[in-house]
Each structure stands twice: as C-alpha cells, then as structure tokens.
Amino acid sequence: MRISSLLAAAMLLAAGPAFAQGPGGDEPSAPSDPAQLKQIDDAYRGRCEPNAPKELCSCVIAVAATHLSDAAERQVFYDFMMGDVDKAKTARGMFSPQKNMKFNIALQKADVMLGDQCDKLKPQPKEAPAGQPGGQKLP
C-alpha cells in the first residue's frame, strides 16, 4: 500500500503543472454563451445609463463585444469601467497566467477603440462663468 501511495504522489507531482493551469491551460478558451454575454451586457447597461449618456454606454458595450468574448473577462472589464477596481482585481486574480496575458492584449485593443470611438461621447465639463474660480480659459 505504501508503494501505491508513493506512485500516486509521484504522478500528482509530475502532473502538477497541468493541474495548476486548470482546464485547457494552453488551449484558447471558447467564446462564452451569447445569452450569458447579453445578460452581462444588460447588467452593465443598467448600471451605466443612470450615470452616463446612453450612447456612451452602448459604445462601451460594442467595444466589449468586439474584443472580449469570454464572460469573466467581459465582467472584469465592466467592473473596471464602473470604477469597481477592487472587485475587478479580485476577479482578475482568478485568471490563469495564459488567460491574464490574453486579457491584457484584449484590454489594450479595447483601450484604443474606446479612445477612437467612445471618448467623443463623454459629457464635457461645463465651464464656470468668467469671474468665478475655474471660469477663466487659459490660452
């Protein structure tokens, strides 16, 4: 019985890296269920629209749909967008190193697209009248 325990321990040690990567460690992850992604998008829309223009929220969702086909990645992206940084960091900490690398690339692409397409939809700060603090324009 002792030999079988040692053999089992040796097999687990040899397979350790495969177990550490989790399911499909080196394989690309399949896109998430479209219904699940829609549910995540709708939840984001419900949180975003009371605080920002509808067009801006829709633009962010379009960016996510273009670059983030994984539900967990999309949720982390939306948490970052809503300012829930601690929640996003905690969820992102659960990603495998491979998934984190893939997510970093998707975030870089999403950031460029956000700047190109969504920044122009952000509300501009209102100017204070001249004579009040912050009301003077600098050249």
Side-chain angles (χ1 to χ4, degrees):
M1 186 144 147
R2 184 168 185 225
I3 294 175
S4 63
S5 296
L6 290 174
L7 184 58
M11 287 174 55
L12 284 174
L13 286 174
F19 285 113
Q21 290 176 353
D26 289 331
E27 300 171 18
S29 60
S32 295
D33 174 36
Q36 182 184 20
L37 293 173
K38 183 178 180 339
Q39 184 179 16
I40 292 168
D41 292 344
D42 290 346
Y44 171 75
R45 185 182 312 279
R47 292 175 60 202
C48 179
E49 287 184 359
N51 302 308
K54 189 176 191 174
E55 297 80 18
L56 178 59
C57 299
S58 294
C59 186
V60 171
I61 291 169
V63 168
T66 301
H67 294 292
L68 301 159
S69 61
D70 178 87
E73 291 175 355
R74 194 173 295 190
Q75 184 62 56
V76 169
F77 174 73
Y78 288 149
D79 288 340
F80 275 125
M81 294 301 294
M82 292 303 299
D84 293 336
V85 177
D86 290 337
K87 182 179 177 184
K89 284 183 178 180
T90 299
R92 187 176 183 180
M94 304 300 289
F95 291 175
S96 70
Q98 293 81 10
K99 186 172 186 167
N100 223 343
M101 190 180 336
K102 179 182 163 271
F103 184 61
N104 283 341
I105 293 166
L107 279 181
Q108 290 172 1
K109 291 177 181 179
D111 188 47
V112 169
M113 193 173 177
L114 285 169
D116 290 346
Q117 296 182 10
C118 301
D119 279 354
K120 61 187 171 209
L121 300 172
K122 289 181 180 176
Q124 300 301 314
K126 294 181 181 176
E127 293 183 26
Q132 290 186 3
Q136 297 177 333
K137 288 186 178 180
L138 298 176

